Amino acid sequence: MNIYKIHRQLSLIALLPVLAWTLSGVMHPLMSNFKPKVNQRLSVNKEVKSTSQFDLSVDSILKMNHWEDIKSFRLVTIDSSIYYQFKREEGNIYINAKTGDKLKGGDIEYATYLAGLYSGEQSQKISDISVQNEFSNEYVKIARILPVYKVQYERMDGLRVFIDVNTDRMTYATNTIRSTFQRVFLWAHSWTFLDFNTTFRLLVLGFFITISFLAGVTGILVYTKYRKTYQRQQQSKVPWQRRLHRTLGIGLSFTLLLFALSAFMHMLPKYTALDKTSYASSYSFSQEDMIFDLDTMRGDWINYQPVIIDGINYYQFHFKEGRSVTKRYFHTVSGEELIKGDSIYAVQLAKQYSGLSSVKNITEVNKFANEYGFINKLLPVQKVQFEGEGNPRWYIDTATTYVGAIIEDKAAFSGFIFAYFHKYHMFDFLGKEARDTIMSLFALGNFLVSFLGLLMYINQKKAVKKRKKTKELVY
């Protein structure tokens, strides 16, 4: 069997997957145009606090409610009133810091309030509020946080926003058009219709990605082997589909190889990836642990919560410094500050989650870049790098105890390949629109190459059938 026949057979096997991948690849950048207009960068719950705003201390509220312990607490603002958001086994409980009154349906009320801030809509327009406990084709995994509240509005575009009441974040926002595009994209690009078995889906994807890669390689070999023959052909006698297929094919062949290779490498780490949303630090604090004189605290603090570091109780205070927020740690009894407390706390959490012990270094990350990109959502974080195979590094958000990312050398390399050769971040310096345009043109070009190949195959089958009929008439 010659190389041409091998190329044709491989291309026929990969035809439908490549058409689906490339067409959905063209569609993906368009989805950003359908994002609902919401206040995504809104600064929520970042007002400077003072003791004059509190009539009740934490320990006094525990006495009033006959609570022996709590898991944690922090401050939240709802309609200009300050509440303690207490975390207990039964869920979040909201207590007014001045009156001591419980807020009925506190999580729903706070989710409604936050959704209104982000969406700019009135609460009267809310058609439904529900808890989102798992990722879906609508609430995708890049949102990173579970559970959240899904708040849906009665609007022409079907706006729904997803709110995490524990971090004040809007984790995701979508509408009917964007959600539809998202579902189609995930179905055609990631083959979520096979999600009933992850292993099976990845095996099927891997098989067709490999076939696509080999089809591209054999296409290059066919062109190289028969290049001189093609040059001697009279162009007018060569069907336009074949001429265009050759020209676009050789011009875009390396982009197809890069798409396939980067997709394959990106897919492998996902198979063994840990669920980053499953990590959470769980402690409990008694009434005696919560006694603290807020009047001793100096500076523009905006929030505080209890933490345990090396078995000792501290308060993690958040201070406003210009546009940024810093975290400092104070002993709950003596008020003494723990120097480099955020780093120490991050190392403790990383060791607890990972089971690793030997820390190589720790650095604070305040912006998205390189291996810790925008997809990881959480900032600021502490990067805790351990010694050992793969140089594992854990990115810890000490304010929430969430894990921002877990990365090893192998995953970092595949992430780099995917970012630069699948999403073409090498063109970031041109701007997002230019990068998306280049990526879409490459995807569209490969779609046309595949479609032209299909037309050639159909025309060839028709020609063979016609010749057979002619022979039958002659005989």
Side-chain angles (χ1 to χ4, degrees):
M1 186 180 290
N2 62 38
I3 192 68
Y4 174 77
K5 289 183 178 180
I6 293 175
H7 171 67
R8 186 175 64 177
Q9 291 188 1
L10 289 172
S11 298
L12 285 173
I13 296 172
L15 178 62
L16 288 179
V18 170
L19 290 176
W21 288 329
T22 52
L23 190 59
S24 57
V26 173
M27 184 179 70
H28 187 258
L30 298 177
M31 286 194 294
S32 61
N33 297 320
F34 300 116
K35 284 183 179 180
K37 293 182 179 179
V38 291
N39 301 312
Q40 291 183 324
R41 297 186 178 182
L42 193 65
S43 180
V44 178
N45 206 25
K46 295 293 189 293
E47 305 86 1
V48 174
K49 308 295 191 302
S50 66
T51 53
S52 61
Q53 296 173 289
F54 306 91
D55 287 346
L56 297 169
S57 63
V58 175
D59 61 298
S60 65
I61 291 176
L62 265 65
K63 288 179 183 177
M64 288 170 52
N65 290 279
H66 307 290
W67 293 341
E68 292 184 3
D69 56 42
I70 58 173
K71 295 173 72 67
S72 186
F73 77 87
R74 69 188 187 105
L75 301 171
V76 299
T77 302
I78 306 176
D79 291 328
S80 73
S81 295
I82 296 179
Y83 290 83
Y84 289 103
Q85 183 193 64
F86 287 99
K87 302 182 191 306
R88 305 196 75 227
E89 288 293 340
E90 62 267 33
N92 292 336
I93 300 174
Y94 296 74
I95 306 291
N96 191 293
K98 277 190 170 292
T99 66
D101 294 334
K102 286 185 182 180
L103 182 64
K104 187 177 180 180
D107 272 351
I108 297 291
E109 290 294 323
Y110 193 41
T112 300
Y113 173 71
L114 291 174
L117 293 179
Y118 286 109
S119 67
E121 290 288 357
Q122 299 295 320
S123 59
Q124 292 85 347
K125 286 190 176 183
I126 294 176
S127 61
D128 185 58
I129 300 180
S130 58
V131 180
Q132 184 85 22
N133 287 310
E134 59 184 16
F135 297 112
S136 65
N137 286 347
E138 179 179 68
Y139 186 67
V140 291
K141 289 183 178 180
I142 60 171
R144 299 303 306 280
I145 295 173
L146 285 174
V148 292
Y149 281 88
K150 175 184 175 181
V151 182
Q152 186 160 344
Y153 289 92
E154 289 182 349
R155 288 191 357 178
M156 291 292 291
D157 63 352
L159 173 68
R160 42 260 200 199
V161 296
F162 296 84
I163 301 294
D164 177 22
V165 295
N166 295 305
T167 64
D168 314 318
R169 288 185 173 98
M170 180 187 68
T171 59
Y172 198 69
T174 189
N175 52 34
T176 302
I177 297 177
R178 188 188 188 194
S179 181
T180 301
F181 264 72
Q182 186 76 52
R183 290 172 189 272
V184 173
F185 173 79
L186 291 172
W187 189 90
H189 210 79
S190 300
W191 294 10
T192 53
F193 57 87
L194 297 177
D195 264 350
F196 60 85
N197 188 301
T198 302
T199 302
F200 178 71
R201 181 175 70 87
L202 293 174
L203 286 173
V204 173
L205 276 170
F207 171 77
F208 283 107
I209 289 172
T210 303
I211 295 298
S212 303
F213 183 84
L214 294 175
V217 171
T218 54
I220 295 172
L221 294 176
V222 167
Y223 184 87
T224 304
K225 183 176 181 179
Y226 297 106
R227 182 170 58 87
K228 291 184 179 179
T229 304
Y230 296 153
Q231 291 173 347
R232 290 195 297 267
Q233 287 179 330
Q234 189 174 344
Q235 293 299 307
S236 60
K237 293 184 178 180
V238 180
W240 67 270
Q241 298 99 323
R242 190 176 295 276
R243 294 199 307 269
L244 192 56
H245 179 79
R246 289 173 184 170
T247 303
L248 286 176
I250 196 63
L252 293 167
S253 57
F254 286 102
T255 66
L256 174 63
L257 298 183
L258 289 175
F259 275 136
L261 179 63
S262 56
F264 191 81
M265 295 189 67
H266 182 64
M267 181 185 70
L268 292 180
K270 283 189 171 184
Y271 183 67
T272 56
L274 297 170
D275 182 1
K276 302 173 185 64
T277 63
S278 66
Y279 295 97
S281 180
S282 180
Y283 296 107
S284 62
F285 300 89
S286 66
Q287 179 184 311
E288 291 75 20
D289 295 331
M290 296 293 95
I291 299 173
F292 187 78
D293 186 3
L294 281 175
D295 288 323
T296 62
M297 193 53 51
R298 297 290 181 265
D300 294 334
W301 63 273
I302 60 178
N303 219 323
Y304 75 117
Q305 60 185 356
V307 299
I308 296 178
I309 302 176
D310 294 332
I312 301 172
N313 294 337
Y314 290 90
Y315 277 121
Q316 180 195 77
F317 272 84
H318 299 188
F319 287 87
K320 193 168 188 175
E321 294 187 2
R323 294 183 178 179
S324 62
V325 175
T326 60
K327 295 187 285 291
R328 295 165 62 188
Y329 296 74
F330 298 88
H331 194 282
T332 56
V333 178
S334 68
E336 184 179 354
E337 183 174 359
L338 177 65
I339 306 302
K340 295 184 178 180
D342 209 44
S343 298
I344 297 171
Y345 189 41
V347 168
Q348 174 180 292
L349 292 173
K351 286 182 176 180
Q352 175 187 331
Y353 296 153
S354 67
L356 302 172
S357 59
S358 184
V359 177
K360 191 174 183 179
N361 59 60
I362 178 169
T363 53
E364 186 173 32
V365 178
N366 291 303
K367 63 180 181 179
F368 298 115
N370 301 323
E371 70 178 27
Y372 191 78
F374 178 74
I375 193 174
N376 296 299
K377 303 297 183 183
L378 302 175
L379 276 182
V381 292
Q382 295 282 352
K383 174 185 175 182
V384 182
Q385 181 164 340
F386 292 95
E387 294 180 348
E389 184 179 356
N391 294 308
R393 40 263 196 207
W394 288 61
Y395 291 82
I396 305 293
D397 178 9
T398 54
T400 62
T401 73
Y402 290 161
V403 176
I406 308 167
I407 299 173
E408 295 185 0
D409 289 343
K410 188 185 296 184
F413 178 69
S414 68
F416 172 84
I417 294 295
F418 185 78
Y420 277 81
F421 300 124
H422 202 92
K423 303 187 76 172
Y424 286 88
H425 282 293
M426 65 184 80
F427 297 115
D428 278 350
F429 68 95
L430 297 174
K432 184 180 183 300
E433 290 185 1
R435 175 176 64 84
D436 286 348
T437 300
I438 293 170
M439 182 172 62
S440 296
L441 288 175
F442 285 158
L444 181 61
N446 281 292
F447 175 84
L448 291 174
V449 171
S450 301
F451 186 72
L452 289 168
L454 175 62
L455 292 180
M456 289 164 52
Y457 179 76
I458 293 172
N459 290 339
Q460 186 182 41
K461 286 295 182 183
K462 286 181 178 179
V464 170
K465 189 176 181 179
K466 187 176 180 180
R467 283 197 298 269
K468 283 183 179 180
K469 283 186 177 181
T470 302
K471 284 182 180 181
E472 290 174 358
L473 290 173
V474 170
Y475 289 115

